Amino acid sequence: MNKAKQLIDRLEAQHSLSIEEYEYLIENQSDELAAYAAEKAVALRKQVYGTDVYIRGLIEIGNICRNDCYYCGIRRSNPACDRYRLTEAQILDCAREGYTLGFRTFVMQGGEDSAFSVDVVCHLVRQIKAEFPDCAVTLSLGEFPREAYQAMFDAGADRYLLRHETADKAHYEKLHPAQMSFDNRMRCLRDLKDIGYQTGCGFMVGSPYQTAQTLAEDLKFIEEFRPEMCGIGPFIPQKDTPFRDFPAGTCEQTVYLLSLLRLIQPNLLLPATTALGTIRPDGRERGLQAGANVVMPNLSPLGVRKKYALYDGKLCTGEEAAQCIGCLSRRVASVGCRIVTARGDIIR
Ligand code: SAM
């Protein structure tokens, strides 16, 4: 058996490799190796989660952002971005609609907007938890001081998603302006975990300046950090950003990395992302076939979905919608899984 397959076998058994070994696996990706990894990844997922796929209702609460990430369509310096901020009433209406549709997790995601202050976020979380005590609330609102994360947790937030973007400091500095700090991002992730959130990190696949070495560092970071969730999706250029001319990441590499992540941590909550569904019509199904077990349909008001334009061509008029849960269920069933109505906490 060749060396790459042997490494996959060892990852399956021991859930750990060296950075050099991860790099070897990334450099030697092939269709055959990806299929080999996917088969093992799906088997491990089945051992932990059976055929269940968890759904999260994504509420994009606003696209006003103080940050200026070079890859992101809602970055501060993009004058072409049509800004919006949902009101508390609108957000609660999204949650109500989602609850009726069967969602038991709401993810509030948005730009870093000082109007969503700690007090405002805490109030929102309390309202949602009071009205839907059987639901989990996930926040994805960027970087805050530890005390702020603690207050949101005390208000009832269960989970927090903050992609690390890259585990390589020099790479991080190529993706972000000098005002943004790799060390602070990592500090945030450590604080979130320490406070007791189910914590999600993650990165874009095929981001500019990414290499097999930086990806290997990502995998090692995830192996050691042991997040509860990990969001990965292809980088997709956005026409009004400095990275407009870089190529998009591929579906093939994204699903291969999903399989490796499942082998690293069998109980990881691993979404088949909207970005994956954007670069390929059957991208999310392919993600599930590679070991993903979460999908995050869009619950935002119809009128703002297009405005939350992180990248070009984002799915926002079709089956990514929470309202299309019926079609999504059929798609998920077509790859041997089933959508369940549950909070979908990590199984330890
Ligand atoms: N502001 C919060 C934060 O920084 O975590 C949440 C919103 S942020 C827009 C969510 C994620 O979108 C980022 O972590 C990034 O990985 C992803 N993203 C941004 N621009 C993207 C692009 N051009 N292609 C793919 N993903 C992108």
Side-chain angles (χ1 to χ4, degrees):
M1 198 193 290
N2 71 30
K3 177 177 168 186
K5 284 189 178 171
Q6 280 172 359
L7 288 175
I8 297 279
D9 288 350
R10 186 139 59 77
L11 191 57
E12 178 194 26
Q14 298 175 357
H15 314 301
S16 173
L17 293 175
S18 68
I19 292 195
E20 294 70 31
E21 288 166 336
Y22 283 129
E23 196 174 341
Y24 185 89
L25 281 181
I26 290 157
E27 278 171 343
N28 288 278
Q29 181 191 329
S30 66
D31 290 349
E32 190 194 343
L33 189 64
Y36 189 75
E39 196 182 323
K40 290 175 183 295
V42 167
L44 277 185
R45 183 193 64 201
K46 277 197 178 139
Q47 277 177 27
V48 183
Y49 292 104
T51 55
D52 290 358
V53 167
Y54 298 140
I55 48 171
R56 320 299 196 194
L58 179 64
I59 309 174
E60 296 156 335
I61 66 173
N63 66 0
I64 297 167
C65 192
R66 75 170 72 91
N67 285 336
D68 226 3
C69 311
Y70 297 141
Y71 45 83
C72 185
I74 67 169
R75 65 196 300 267
R76 183 184 68 216
S77 302
N78 179 8
C81 177
D82 186 2
R83 305 287 169 177
Y84 74 93
R85 180 186 294 135
L86 297 185
T87 63
E88 194 176 291
Q90 283 176 304
I91 296 170
L92 283 167
D93 277 347
C94 294
R96 288 183 192 119
E97 183 175 12
Y99 193 87
T100 309
L101 289 165
F103 289 87
R104 296 296 177 267
T105 289
F106 302 115
V107 181
M108 288 192 276
Q109 188 180 84
E112 295 199 13
D113 174 0
S114 54
F116 287 116
S117 64
V118 186
D119 290 346
V120 169
V121 174
C122 287
H123 185 69
L124 256 172
V125 172
R126 277 193 215 98
Q127 304 254 93
I128 295 182
K129 294 295 278 196
E131 194 166 335
F132 308 105
D134 54 335
C135 291
V137 168
T138 305
L139 298 176
S140 180
L141 300 171
E143 299 177 17
F144 282 91
R146 183 182 174 114
E147 308 74 59
Y149 287 143
Q150 183 70 58
M152 296 170 193
F153 185 75
D154 295 342
D158 303 274
R159 310 184 186 132
Y160 206 103
L161 299 177
L162 183 76
R163 290 185 174 184
H164 63 286
E165 310 298 359
T166 169
D168 183 286
K169 188 170 178 166
H171 184 211
Y172 187 92
E173 288 167 0
K174 291 183 179 160
L175 300 177
H176 303 96
Q179 299 83 333
M180 293 181 69
S181 142
F182 173 80
D183 293 336
N184 193 50
R185 196 89 180 163
M186 290 296 176
R187 187 274 305 159
C188 288
L189 281 167
R190 282 192 303 273
D191 281 347
L192 289 164
K193 203 156 200 281
D194 200 43
I195 288 168
Y197 282 96
Q198 292 182 40
T199 305
C201 62
F203 58 91
M204 293 176 291
V205 177
S207 64
Y209 311 108
Q210 187 174 67
T211 62
Q213 155 90 36
T214 66
L215 277 172
E217 290 174 57
D218 286 319
L219 296 182
K220 194 66 188 173
F221 167 70
I222 291 159
E223 180 200 306
E224 290 175 350
F225 183 65
R226 296 195 63 75
E228 279 74 24
M229 307 167 282
C230 185
I232 68 164
F235 160 74
I236 304 176
Q238 203 284 341
K239 62 180 177 14
D240 305 302
T241 62
F243 287 169
R244 64 179 69 84
D245 294 326
F246 281 90
T250 66
C251 178
E252 286 72 18
Q253 191 174 33
T254 306
V255 300
Y256 178 56
L257 288 165
L258 283 170
S259 296
L260 298 187
L261 288 169
R262 175 66 62 206
L263 297 176
I264 290 172
Q265 199 181 313
N267 68 346
L268 197 58
L269 294 163
L270 207 49
T273 56
T274 306
L276 188 54
T278 296
I279 52 163
R280 222 175 149 127
D282 62 347
R284 285 177 304 173
E285 288 91 323
R286 283 172 181 259
L288 295 174
Q289 287 173 303
N293 67 327
V294 174
V295 282
M296 298 173 64
N298 199 328
L299 263 183
S300 312
L302 269 175
V304 306
R305 284 184 197 169
K306 259 203 167 70
K307 298 183 185 175
Y308 197 77
L310 310 181
Y311 46 80
D312 291 336
K314 180 188 160 217
L315 293 180
C316 59
T317 50
E319 293 189 12
E320 83 302 334
Q323 290 74 8
C324 288
I325 191 81
C327 350
L328 185 64
S329 298
R330 283 190 288 281
R331 281 170 170 249
V332 169
S334 76
V335 292
C337 299
R338 61 168 194 141
I339 282 182
V340 292
T341 295
R343 275 175 50 119
D345 290 299
I346 191 166
I347 295 181
R348 305 231 188 236

